[in-house]
Amino acid sequence: LPTVLLFVQLISGVLSDEHNHNYENGDEVVLWMNTVGPYHNRQETYPYFSLPFCKGPKSEISHYHETMGEALQGVELQFSGLDIDFKTDVKKQQYCETSLSE
């Protein structure tokens, strides 16, 4: 039985394709923002965009599948809104401006 389970794990790792992080030129690269909080109190977390950070102009992505690990760890990933393509040159550009106060 342990040999069968090991074989199944090895085969499932070899056949996985969606999350293998192999990109072709021009493929969409999704940048995720996680929760933020103090290092000394891991239970105190805030959604990334509840703080004064800018969100990019892009509103949709091609796909997103939450993993079991993310759900169990309480990870709250939010799409950054940045349009990033693999190995595509882009000129320097400003995508937002934020004024901060005390």
Side-chain angles (χ1 to χ4, degrees):
L1 184 63
T3 306
V4 172
L5 291 176
L6 178 63
F7 179 74
V8 169
Q9 284 181 330
L10 290 175
I11 293 299
S12 65
V14 172
L15 298 177
S16 60
D17 58 355
E18 188 170 84
H19 299 288
N20 61 10
H21 303 290
N22 292 324
Y23 296 101
E24 300 292 328
N25 292 346
D27 282 353
E28 176 185 40
V29 177
V30 179
L31 177 63
W32 295 104
M33 304 305 191
N34 201 345
T35 52
V36 293
Y39 286 113
H40 299 293
N41 184 0
R42 296 286 184 183
Q43 294 177 339
E44 180 183 354
T45 60
Y46 305 97
Y48 186 84
F49 289 113
S50 69
L51 300 172
F53 298 124
C54 293
K55 190 167 188 168
K58 189 174 179 182
S59 61
E60 295 182 9
I61 58 173
S62 61
H63 69 283
Y64 170 61
H65 304 286
E66 182 179 38
T67 65
M68 179 66 85
E70 292 169 0
L72 292 174
Q73 292 176 5
V75 172
E76 296 178 31
L77 297 179
Q78 296 177 329
F79 176 51
S80 67
L82 298 177
D83 190 13
I84 303 171
D85 295 323
F86 187 69
K87 284 191 173 181
T88 301
D89 292 333
V90 293
K91 294 181 181 179
K92 182 179 176 181
Q93 61 185 1
Q94 179 177 338
Y95 69 90
C96 77
E97 185 175 326
T98 301
S99 298
L100 300 177
S101 61
E102 290 186 37

